[in-house]
Amino acid sequence: MHQRTSLFGVLIAFAAFALFPFHDAIVKWLVADYSIWQIMFIRSAIIAVFLCIWQGRGLVKRTVTSPVRRFLFLRAAVLIGAWSCYYSAARSLGLGELTTIYFASPIVVAMLAVPLLGEKVALSKWIAIGLGFVGVVIACRPNLGESTFAVLLALTAAGLWAYAVILVRQSNVAEKTTVNMLATNLGFVGLGLVMLPWHWVTPSFNDAILFIAMGVIGGAAQGLVFEAIRRAPASTIAPLEFTGLIWAFGLGYWIWNDVPDLGVVLGAALIVMSGAIVVGMEWRSSILTRRSAAKIAS
């Protein structure tokens, strides 16, 4: 049963990491005219309102009185820091450099999962993580010698995101996905309210539609990630994050006519191989578990 749940978590993770690039593409479109504080505020406010309508007022009470609220709001603070560092680094680094550095986070997750979660990371998972990261490097071909401070900001963002994933795994045993999501987005809403008087720009009708789409897609992606981490080990979910880069390149071609070259194709192939290794491991374990259970039953 555990292996079947873990495999389902892997499939959910694939869906989540396919949605995030669509969210990021909208953010990239909006950030040219709006501050990141306004973008974070509106997105998180949409998600929080939807959660409260769906779950009722009791969700807010459960969130603020949760026995693991320390983990919940610590994670919100960590994610705020990650977002701030990531988009600050984006001002000085190209997309290739920024993406490559940020995708160090799955490796950090796997490393932290051993001492903080007690997970045993198999050699095959380390191979999957390594393949995925090499694929990202080949696809982006970063030149990291130009802006040391921006590189440090991007590395900090990667480390904070990795720690946020660990915090979800530590706390979500006691709380459901909607509580985790509301706590995270309330943190963004609170910070956005503080910053908005200096950064607010009234959106046009078309941009308002984009803001709503960003909130809906971002909320769906967040929910799927939480559910995936609940069902599968953090070290299993981590390599699957690399697959999001394939969607990102596809959107880049579709929206901005960015044509992938041979390096991108080779990198994408390694990324796909990374995810396939993880899925194959979970699929094999699921089959072995069912066969073992069938033998015991007979």
Side-chain angles (χ1 to χ4, degrees):
M1 183 66 180
H2 170 72
Q3 291 298 335
R4 186 179 301 177
T5 301
S6 185
L7 178 60
F8 186 48
V10 167
L11 298 178
I12 293 176
F14 270 120
F17 296 133
L19 284 176
F20 271 121
F22 288 87
H23 167 272
D24 293 344
I26 297 175
V27 171
K28 181 178 178 180
W29 192 286
L30 292 172
V31 77
D33 300 310
Y34 303 92
S35 74
I36 191 60
W37 306 112
Q38 181 173 348
I39 291 171
M40 286 194 297
F41 170 78
I42 295 178
R43 181 205 63 174
S44 297
I46 290 172
I47 295 172
V49 168
F50 175 78
L51 289 170
C52 290
I53 293 174
W54 178 29
Q55 296 284 300
R57 290 179 297 177
L59 179 63
V60 177
K61 181 179 179 181
R62 178 167 179 172
T63 301
V64 298
T65 61
S66 170
V68 293
R69 59 185 176 276
R70 179 174 66 88
F71 284 102
L72 298 179
F73 291 104
L74 174 60
R75 183 180 188 275
V78 169
L79 283 176
I80 289 172
W83 264 65
S84 300
C85 291
Y86 185 78
Y87 285 104
S88 296
R91 296 170 182 167
S92 302
L93 294 176
L95 183 60
E97 289 87 352
L98 187 67
T99 304
T100 300
I101 299 168
Y102 183 74
F103 270 90
S105 60
I107 297 176
V108 180
V109 169
M111 294 174 63
L112 292 178
V114 176
L116 296 182
L117 300 177
E119 293 184 6
K120 295 181 179 180
V121 182
L123 177 61
S124 53
K125 285 184 182 178
W126 285 116
I127 293 174
I129 292 170
L131 277 176
F133 185 71
V134 170
V136 171
V137 173
I138 292 175
C140 298
R141 292 177 301 284
N143 176 16
L144 305 180
E146 298 179 356
S147 182
T148 303
F149 182 66
V151 169
L152 291 175
L153 282 175
L155 284 172
T156 301
L160 289 172
W161 168 251
Y163 184 47
V165 172
I166 296 297
L167 286 173
V168 173
R169 191 70 179 178
Q170 287 180 326
S171 66
N172 68 11
V173 174
E175 287 297 357
K176 57 185 181 179
T177 293
T178 51
V179 172
N180 279 278
M181 289 180 63
L182 184 61
T184 298
N185 286 285
L186 284 179
F188 283 111
V189 169
L191 181 61
L193 283 174
V194 174
M195 303 299 293
L196 277 186
W198 293 274
H199 297 280
W200 177 263
V201 175
T202 301
S204 65
F205 177 79
N206 289 338
D207 288 348
I209 298 299
L210 286 176
F211 273 113
I212 294 172
M214 176 185 62
V216 172
I217 294 172
Q222 282 184 23
L224 289 171
V225 165
F226 278 116
E227 287 297 315
I229 297 173
R230 287 172 65 91
R231 288 170 165 78
S235 56
T236 296
I237 297 300
L240 304 181
E241 191 172 352
F242 291 127
T243 61
L245 187 64
I246 300 172
W247 292 96
F249 280 120
L251 285 172
Y253 173 73
W254 180 44
I255 300 173
W256 292 282
N257 202 31
D258 296 333
V259 180
D261 58 20
L262 180 60
V264 172
V265 174
L266 291 176
L270 289 176
I271 293 166
V272 171
M273 191 181 302
S274 169
I277 290 174
V278 175
V279 173
M281 288 172 55
E282 297 300 333
W283 184 269
R284 181 174 179 275
S285 297
S286 178
I287 292 175
L288 292 176
T289 301
R290 288 199 298 269
R291 287 178 178 174
S292 178
K295 289 181 179 179
I296 294 175
S298 60

